[in-house]
Amino acid sequence: MEVSPRSPVPSVRRSMDRFLDEARALDSSDPLAFFRDRFVIDDPDLIYLDGNSLGRMPRAAVEVLDRLKSEWGTRLVRGWAEGWYDLPARLGSKIATLIGARADEVIVCDSTSVNLYKLASAALALNGGPKRIVTDDSNFPSDLYVLESFGADRMTLIESGQYDSPPLDDLRRAVRQTSPCLLALSHTAFKSGGVYPMADLTREVQEHKGMALWDISHSIGVVPVDLGGSGVELAVGCTYKYLNGGPGAPAFLFVRKDMQEALDSPIHGWFGRHRPFDFETSYQPAHGIGRFLAGTPPILSMAVAEPGIDMVLDAGVPNLREKSLAQTEFLIRLYDAFLERHGFALGSPREPQSRGSHVTFRHNLALAIDQALIHRVSVIPDFRTPDAIRFGISPLYTSFADIYEAVVRLCTVMTEGLYRPYLDSAPTVT
Ligand SMILES: *Cc1c(COP(=O)(O)O)cnc(C)c1O
């Protein structure tokens, strides 16, 4: 039977009506609701719950694209002196205000993976600095691959159980036993959405003469981060998730001010050199955060990331956090009422303060269910192997009605067995 998303099975809908009233009431009293109109939304029937992987496109980004067409076409190489050259630092200073950093401690460049490599390499090369890495298997796989590239024998990989709370005791023990180490973790875990206690763990590693390197990709824009207040030395993160910067938008890196002159980027590119246009034959690092640039910045994708950053600045991270928590809470209540009975298990923390902005549901048919949601009922979450479906809440544009409707459609997928044709599917990108 073909079920159109507009006419899901009436019995499923009826049993959930009381939550629809609540969703509508929450939307009508939501002070951030107006931000939704600032995004390109061409298909009102599509429920997009993957902003934790790729955020929606801000309407203002369309204008920036138009502006860039003309800047490139008419200003040509003059563009470098008219704003392009300063863009990495200018956007870095905006991001800094979102994460408790100083304007001269953040710069936008490269990808998160490359930035992680640069900072980990610089830390491990530091005289008297950490020689080993401590991390855990809830960390993003790309981060683990990058860290492993320094030698698997230099890395202590703590097992986390993936969906359980962070393995804090094991991490602390490893930090004590491998002193001084570089503690490299994700602040919000990509699979469970569990949030790590940044300030506590940073203090712990520093007490043992080590350093902390945090990946805040899944936090920035929705989960408050205070790098300065937490005393963090190093951090990286991406701009295309909750900052809505666009596919492949460049990432950022943070180096605490007092560490900048001591750290040497492993890639001595000309954009990280002191006065690159002197075209000297040997390298001399730029003063400050600029030394962590390497080659020519990708101006087109970097400029397009600015409207998304501006919107988060406009809305305010504490406000976004408040809405995100109310929304993940609402989703978990729907899970308790309707999803558990279909064989789902909650793969995210119930404790609000320990939760990021996505909620993970586990199911042994997760991939087929995810495919049915996408291809049959117009809901886009994502699947993470082996059994996780992530519902990403992006409070700038996700409504409570979206969340309600997504759960209605998920129940329809289950009661109508719409996942059955996908039981053998093996998509390349999930
Ligand atoms: C999304 C994400 C990345 C992405 O890395 P890229 O190099 O930008 O592809 C890395 N780490 C974490 C924790 C992420 O969530």
Side-chain angles (χ1 to χ4, degrees):
M1 161 187 171
E2 189 63 43
V3 176
S4 125
R6 279 176 205 82
S7 58
V9 182
S11 61
V12 171
R13 245 181 217 289
R14 257 196 314 278
S15 68
M16 301 176 70
D17 268 356
R18 66 193 158 96
F19 284 93
L20 177 58
D21 295 339
E22 185 179 346
R24 286 182 175 146
L26 287 163
D27 280 330
S28 64
S29 62
D30 168 18
L32 301 181
F34 68 92
F35 278 102
R36 185 179 172 97
D37 289 337
R38 296 196 189 173
F39 288 89
V40 175
I41 299 184
D42 70 324
D43 176 2
D45 192 54
L46 173 72
I47 298 183
Y48 191 66
L49 296 176
D50 208 11
N52 55 318
S53 185
L54 176 67
R56 277 192 182 273
M57 183 180 198
R59 281 174 192 264
V62 180
E63 287 156 34
V64 172
L65 279 173
D66 286 341
R67 194 189 78 215
L68 283 163
K69 264 196 307 207
S70 113
E71 270 183 26
W72 176 13
T74 64
R75 300 314 298 156
L76 295 163
V77 77
R78 291 169 292 188
W80 286 107
E82 296 170 0
W84 298 347
Y85 187 78
D86 300 325
L87 195 59
R90 196 166 63 73
L91 293 194
S93 69
K94 287 190 174 192
I95 287 175
T97 63
L98 297 175
I99 54 180
R102 296 167 39 148
D104 56 359
E105 290 178 321
V106 180
I107 199 148
V108 175
C109 55
D110 302 312
S111 62
T112 308
S113 305
V114 170
N115 288 337
L116 184 76
Y117 176 79
K118 290 189 292 189
L119 295 192
S121 169
L124 293 169
L126 198 61
N127 226 337
K131 295 291 164 259
R132 288 186 58 85
I133 298 166
V134 171
T135 185
D136 72 20
D137 63 2
S138 283
N139 204 345
F140 194 72
S142 190
D143 295 34
L144 295 179
Y145 309 150
V146 167
L147 297 172
E148 196 188 59
S149 72
F150 296 101
D153 56 340
R154 294 177 78 176
M155 185 160 111
T156 304
L157 181 66
I158 303 295
E159 286 182 22
S160 68
Q162 305 269 334
Y163 300 105
D164 302 330
S165 37
L168 298 182
D169 291 341
D170 291 346
L171 285 168
R172 290 199 173 101
R173 188 172 316 117
V175 162
R176 283 196 298 274
Q177 288 170 353
T178 38
S179 155
C181 72
L182 179 68
L183 179 65
L185 295 170
S186 284
H187 181 231
T188 299
F190 82 103
K191 207 175 273 186
S192 69
V195 177
Y196 284 56
M198 177 183 280
D200 284 3
L201 287 171
T202 300
R203 193 179 326 110
E204 183 93 18
V205 71
Q206 289 169 352
E207 278 168 12
H208 293 87
K209 305 194 168 19
M211 291 168 65
L213 197 180
W214 288 96
D215 189 328
I216 57 175
S217 291
H218 264 81
S219 301
I220 183 151
V222 274
V223 178
V225 172
D226 184 5
L227 296 177
S230 306
V232 170
E233 289 99 344
L234 306 168
V236 296
C238 89
T239 62
Y240 52 76
K241 291 170 180 159
Y242 299 106
L243 293 186
N244 307 303
F252 61 89
L253 60 80
F254 159 92
V255 179
R256 202 176 70 193
K257 184 71 187 162
D258 62 310
M259 304 286 307
Q260 290 175 2
E261 298 301 304
L263 291 172
D264 179 36
S265 172
I267 304 168
H268 289 183
W270 70 314
F271 268 72
R273 194 191 183 280
H274 177 60
R275 301 185 55 84
F277 287 89
D278 285 357
F279 289 104
E280 291 287 343
T281 49
S282 77
Y283 177 79
Q284 188 190 329
H287 295 297
I289 193 74
R291 67 176 54 198
F292 295 97
L293 296 180
T296 308
I299 295 303
L300 302 185
S301 50
M302 197 176 289
V304 168
E306 186 164 13
I309 297 167
D310 285 341
M311 250 189 290
V312 171
L313 281 165
D314 254 18
V317 174
N319 300 327
L320 290 164
R321 174 63 167 168
E322 190 181 333
K323 178 171 173 185
S324 156
L325 281 178
Q327 293 192 303
T328 50
E329 190 74 37
F330 184 60
L331 177 53
I332 290 173
R333 282 174 50 222
L334 286 163
Y335 157 82
D336 287 335
F338 304 107
L339 296 179
E340 207 167 13
R341 71 174 78 146
H342 290 298
F344 290 95
L346 187 63
S348 295
R350 272 186 188 274
E351 161 63 34
Q353 291 317 315
S354 311
R355 196 164 67 228
S357 202
H358 67 271
V359 175
T360 298
F361 301 119
R362 303 175 63 192
H363 197 289
N364 56 2
L365 305 177
L367 179 55
I369 296 166
D370 166 76
Q371 294 296 298
L373 283 168
I374 296 169
H375 299 297
R376 299 295 295 279
V377 297
S378 215
V379 176
I380 302 187
D382 65 21
F383 165 78
R384 288 294 174 260
T385 188
D387 62 352
I389 298 176
R390 303 187 304 178
F391 274 22
I393 307 283
S394 197
L396 280 173
Y397 53 77
T398 305
S399 66
F400 287 88
D402 279 345
I403 294 168
Y404 165 83
E405 185 62 28
V407 173
V408 171
R409 294 185 197 178
L410 177 52
C411 288
T412 307
V413 165
M414 301 313 292
T415 51
E416 299 301 302
L418 300 184
Y419 55 82
R420 282 195 202 104
Y422 302 98
L423 286 172
D424 295 321
S425 73
T428 315
V429 178
T430 58

